[in-house]
Amino acid sequence: MSNEGYEPGKVKVKNNAYKFEGAFHHIERNQPILNEKGDLVGVTNPRNMTYVHTYGGEAVFFENLSKGKIIASRCDNKDCTAFGSIFMPFRIHCPDCLSRNTHVDITDIAKTTSRVHTFMITERTGAFNTLPKPIKFVNVEFEGVVTILMGPMLFGRPEIGMKVVPIFRTKDPTYTILDLGWVPKGTKESDLPEFYTFDA
Amino acid sequence: MSKPVYMVTGGMSKFGRAQPDKRTEELCIDALTESAHFIDMSPAELKKYIHTAYYGHFADHFGDQLLGESVIHDRLGLDPLGNIGVKTGGATGGSTIWEAYKTVASGYSDCTLAMGWERMDEVPTDEGNHLISSAADKDWETPLGHIYTGYYAVMAQRYWKVFGKEEDSFRRTMAEIAVKNRGYGRMNPHAHGGKDISVEDVINSPVVAYPLRAYDCCLMSVGAACVLLADERTAYKMCDDPLRIDVGAGSHTLRVACRRNMEIPLLPHETKDQYNDLADRFPGSERYPGFSGFLAARMASYYAYNMTGIHDPTEDLDVVELHDAFTISDIQTYEDIGIRPYGDGRTYVESGDCYHTNPHTGEPGKLPANLSGGLIGNMHAVGATGIMQVVEVGQHLWNRWREMHADEEKWARFGRTKPKDWKDLQVKGAKRGLAISHAGVGSHVTATILQHPDHVLDRRGSQ
């Protein structure tokens, strides 16, 4: 029941269907759980499996992070109360009229107008965390955007009102929200964490 | 709602950080048995009244069991009655009651069971934190540390800066809530968070995510709770004094990041111009609900107050159980549900109104909060929490709080020692109470109002 030598699962798409190759789960022997007297109270149930997740209409956002771009979305339905609203986090559809939003590149807006609305610093994390400790989150306001994006601050100490700029994991991207980070405005390129750059 | 709904009884299991000696079904049977005995029935007699069952269980993946509701339904011996599971994060317990309530109000069922449970002891804490963080947005939030506390902590930081103004006095007020609730938890045989602590203990406890420290945070628990609701005819067949129950609910974006600005929806006792100077008094509070208010809590209480005729909660209610996941979110909630106006939440604690006995006057508190110990001093077994709150409020309105908490046999059965300075926290003459059940950063909230049958307000607020 060893996991050694298994091939990590990979997925391709063919004819609009997922094709799975490699190991997506690994079997481990369960173990008994005994109390202080040696009586059986339960067993362990090992689970080790890989999920697949579909980005659908949000794929454009995650794909562009590794290219140094932040793609937001805008409601262009003139009959909608949210007409002209730019959403970041990206929304595929307008939450009011449900029409499909227009993609908008807000990279320059983010580089010039981003400010910390609020923040959080903690040493505590859950299992599977990959951020360096202490982890630092900032919620970032952008001019002309109706929502406030949360992301990791990857250098410096956050403060409310602080001007920040985006950085991108352009090398070895994860294609997740972790490809977008924030640092104080004026941070030197040499202070950025490994794999991250200001531009593509 | 077309028919008045009544709460007939309720019960709870022991709550603990871990209970490896019991399966979940044993905890649920403990809760149902207590609720049967509360109205002098056997469990078998009580079960004969149930027509539909609702089960609140937040996290299937904690127990690695899908359809856990069906397992419990079978073990309670309630097949072939219809049953369904309810999941709304931290508000699961309140939402379960909401569903059971609507079923009776609509006339579909004459008696419903609302049962909730959670067991958070079957994975290590860090994996538990990861599983809880899965209730955040999996693309935009969960990868950020896999720690749900962090997603709430950005809100705490904003409230602390804008409304708390980073004052030491505000920090101490937060700590007073932890001292109060852990102190009340000592009087509750069901509770596993009771502790005699000081403000300094809270302020010196380890930082979780500044300004939140360990004692500012709720417990992770294992346990079950249930209530039975019925229409008027059935309720009076089952007991002599069923309580009127009404439930309002609200929601808001799962991602705090997606909150858009709006005007403050006003509660019955608030006025149109009341908040005109809010941004002058608290610079940075220009956005509503921003990152400091819980719109879902405001909407839930808005509906509940208007359904029942509650005008001013501080005046019209006698006891409340609030979702004190964190001390600072407790203060935020005072404002969202109108116990205090926005910006003034801290005064509910500082005035002594929130205590069983006002520490400044020695008189009864005006609106005691979380006499069970709440989530900080009693438990947070997620699916059971909102139900536990309603059971506790009900016991005050029935004037049976002492009976259910003083019993030496119960303390011994739970393996706990009753404190020598045990105090009866019964709210004397309690007529109406409120329980707030709340999910995470405010995605779901329910407001449940209980009224003693002799003191039911009409919808205009008259008795």
Side-chain angles (χ1 to χ4, degrees):
Chain A
M1 294 193 176
S2 169
N3 294 329
E4 290 184 13
Y6 70 83
E7 282 292 320
K10 294 182 179 177
V11 186
K12 295 177 180 175
V13 176
K14 190 173 181 182
N15 296 327
N16 203 29
Y18 288 125
K19 300 294 181 188
F20 298 88
E21 295 176 3
F24 280 78
H25 65 274
H26 316 298
I27 301 170
E28 291 177 27
R29 173 67 192 262
N30 74 329
Q31 301 292 328
I33 303 171
L34 310 178
N35 66 14
E36 298 92 331
K37 299 175 187 171
D39 301 327
L40 180 73
V41 297
V43 294
T44 62
N45 281 326
R47 292 284 184 275
N48 187 342
M49 57 185 284
T50 299
Y51 289 86
V52 167
H53 176 49
T54 303
Y55 277 150
E58 282 191 5
V60 63
F61 170 79
F62 292 104
E63 187 168 28
N64 271 283
L65 293 179
S66 62
K67 300 173 183 172
K69 291 182 180 178
I70 301 175
I71 305 298
S73 69
R74 183 182 63 215
C75 176
D76 282 343
N77 177 3
K78 292 180 181 176
D79 296 326
C80 178
T81 52
F83 171 66
S85 295
I86 297 176
F87 299 98
M88 175 47 56
F90 184 99
R91 297 186 81 113
I92 302 166
H93 296 271
C94 170
D96 290 353
C97 68
L98 302 185
S99 61
R100 201 158 178 102
N101 282 340
T102 304
H103 299 173
V104 185
D105 186 339
I106 63 163
T107 312
D108 289 341
I109 293 173
K111 287 182 176 180
T112 55
T113 74
S114 297
R115 284 183 184 273
V116 174
H117 181 74
T118 186
F119 67 93
M120 184 280 320
I121 304 171
T122 184
E123 290 282 349
R124 301 198 180 193
T125 61
F128 307 111
N129 170 58
T130 56
L131 292 172
K133 294 183 183 181
I135 57 171
K136 295 173 275 187
F137 302 160
V138 287
N139 283 81
V140 180
E141 303 172 8
F142 313 100
E143 282 185 15
V145 175
V146 298
T147 48
I148 303 174
L149 178 68
M150 183 162 71
M153 183 129 177
L154 297 176
F155 179 77
R157 187 177 179 83
E159 287 292 336
I160 288 178
M162 171 188 274
K163 289 186 176 181
V164 291
V165 295
I167 60 173
F168 302 93
R169 186 165 171 140
T170 52
K171 301 167 187 169
D172 191 24
T174 65
Y175 302 102
T176 71
I177 193 66
L178 299 179
D179 288 351
L180 175 62
W182 300 90
V183 297
K185 190 168 187 176
T187 299
K188 298 174 186 172
E189 184 107 30
S190 58
D191 287 328
L192 300 189
E194 188 180 17
F195 305 125
Y196 286 83
T197 58
F198 287 114
D199 300 292
Chain B
M1 287 292 170
S2 58
K3 299 178 78 171
V5 183
Y6 292 82
M7 178 169 130
V8 177
T9 185
M12 299 176 283
S13 72
K14 172 186 174 181
F15 301 116
R17 176 64 186 89
Q19 302 204 50
D21 58 334
K22 290 210 172 190
R23 282 176 69 97
T24 303
E25 72 199 56
E26 296 174 88
L27 300 168
C28 292
I29 289 173
D30 285 348
L32 189 71
T33 300
E34 181 170 283
S35 69
H37 292 168
F38 190 75
I39 53 174
D40 298 324
M41 288 188 190
S42 69
E45 290 169 328
L46 183 68
K47 282 168 53 181
K48 290 178 183 174
Y49 287 92
I50 298 170
H51 176 256
T52 312
Y54 289 89
Y55 297 114
H57 173 215
F58 158 55
D60 290 326
H61 48 204
F62 266 103
D64 195 20
Q65 170 68 66
L66 294 181
L67 279 181
E69 301 86 0
S70 290
V71 175
I72 297 302
H73 191 68
D74 166 58
R75 303 303 197 272
L76 291 175
L78 288 173
D79 287 316
L81 300 177
N83 74 88
I84 196 164
V86 178
K87 297 186 193 312
T88 57
T92 294
S95 298
T96 305
I97 295 177
W98 186 41
E99 290 303 308
Y101 160 77
K102 289 184 290 185
T103 304
V104 174
S106 70
Y108 181 83
S109 290
D110 54 3
C111 181
T112 54
L113 168 68
M115 169 78 77
W117 68 86
E118 211 71 51
R119 74 175 310 144
M120 308 175 82
D121 59 342
E122 293 183 328
V123 292
T125 300
D126 63 339
E127 290 179 20
N129 280 326
H130 159 69
L131 294 175
I132 294 169
S133 79
S134 301
D137 187 294
K138 69 184 286 180
D139 288 323
W140 296 77
E141 294 172 327
T142 306
L144 303 176
H146 299 253
I147 182 82
Y148 201 98
T149 306
Y151 317 143
Y152 169 71
V154 294
M155 302 179 72
Q157 182 72 242
R158 185 77 188 179
Y159 189 93
W160 162 247
K161 296 269 186 179
V162 172
F163 291 103
K165 300 184 176 179
E166 301 180 271
E167 293 173 355
D168 289 342
S169 60
F170 184 81
R171 176 54 268 193
R172 293 185 71 82
T173 299
M174 289 168 57
E176 291 282 5
I177 295 168
V179 172
K180 172 177 77 75
N181 293 357
R182 286 193 173 261
Y184 290 155
R186 293 179 62 237
M187 311 304 160
N188 184 351
H190 296 269
H192 73 101
K195 200 168 185 180
D196 191 9
I197 58 172
S198 67
V199 165
E200 283 66 33
D201 289 335
V202 180
I203 292 173
N204 293 324
S205 63
V207 173
V208 174
Y210 193 82
L212 298 173
R213 294 174 180 269
Y215 277 137
D216 288 304
C217 303
C218 66
L219 303 162
M220 289 175 75
S221 312
V222 176
C226 71
V227 294
L228 278 97
L229 310 186
D231 62 21
E232 189 166 283
R233 186 178 65 85
T234 309
Y236 278 97
K237 279 170 61 179
M238 297 172 74
C239 70
D240 295 331
D241 53 356
L243 305 174
R244 271 289 296 271
I245 184 169
D246 288 282
V247 189
S251 70
H252 203 195
T253 57
L254 182 70
R255 290 188 298 231
V256 182
C258 286
R259 294 179 169 197
R260 289 182 285 170
N261 291 354
M262 61 182 290
E263 289 186 11
I264 299 175
L266 299 177
L267 296 175
H269 65 307
E270 294 180 326
T271 57
K272 187 180 176 191
D273 299 329
Q274 179 170 342
Y275 293 116
N276 287 352
D277 65 346
L278 190 64
D280 295 330
R281 293 168 55 216
F282 300 99
S285 65
E286 295 81 4
R287 288 175 179 259
Y288 180 84
F291 276 45
S292 53
F294 297 122
L295 175 62
R298 174 136 295 220
M299 291 311 297
S301 51
Y302 173 88
Y303 283 124
Y305 296 163
N306 283 290
M307 290 162 74
T308 55
I310 300 289
H311 179 72
D312 181 342
T314 308
E315 297 297 328
D316 296 337
L317 299 170
D318 302 302
V319 59
V320 295
E321 285 282 332
L322 306 178
H323 188 94
D324 54 330
F326 305 100
T327 53
I328 201 167
S329 66
D330 205 44
I331 297 174
Q332 292 170 266
T333 301
Y334 307 155
E335 302 173 358
D336 295 311
I337 67 174
I339 289 176
R340 287 293 189 276
Y342 280 114
D344 293 339
R346 60 187 291 177
T347 67
Y348 179 45
V349 180
E350 293 164 355
S351 66
D353 285 355
C354 69
Y355 290 84
H356 175 268
T357 303
N358 188 319
H360 308 303
T361 66
E363 298 295 318
K366 190 170 182 61
L367 182 60
N370 293 17
L371 300 178
S372 71
L375 283 66
I376 289 175
N378 180 1
M379 66 79 140
H380 190 24
V382 182
T385 302
I387 299 174
M388 170 278 291
Q389 295 172 314
V390 172
V391 174
E392 284 277 339
V393 170
Q395 290 174 356
H396 284 286
L397 270 58
W398 275 311
N399 196 29
R400 294 178 66 180
W401 193 92
R402 180 190 179 92
E403 171 193 340
M404 300 306 293
H405 294 77
D407 181 11
E408 302 278 358
E409 187 277 329
K410 180 184 278 188
W411 283 90
R413 178 159 39 92
F414 289 167
R416 290 178 173 142
T417 304
K418 187 177 177 182
K420 290 181 179 171
D421 61 345
W422 185 88
K423 183 181 175 185
D424 181 4
L425 298 177
Q426 170 68 45
V427 176
K428 292 180 180 168
K431 307 180 188 73
R432 299 178 207 97
L434 165 72
I436 295 291
S437 188
H438 174 123
V441 294
S443 62
H444 305 73
V445 176
T446 63
T448 299
I449 291 177
L450 294 177
Q451 302 185 74
H452 190 278
D454 296 337
H455 302 282
V456 175
L457 296 170
D458 68 23
R459 293 185 64 178
R460 293 182 301 279
S462 303
Q463 211 175 288

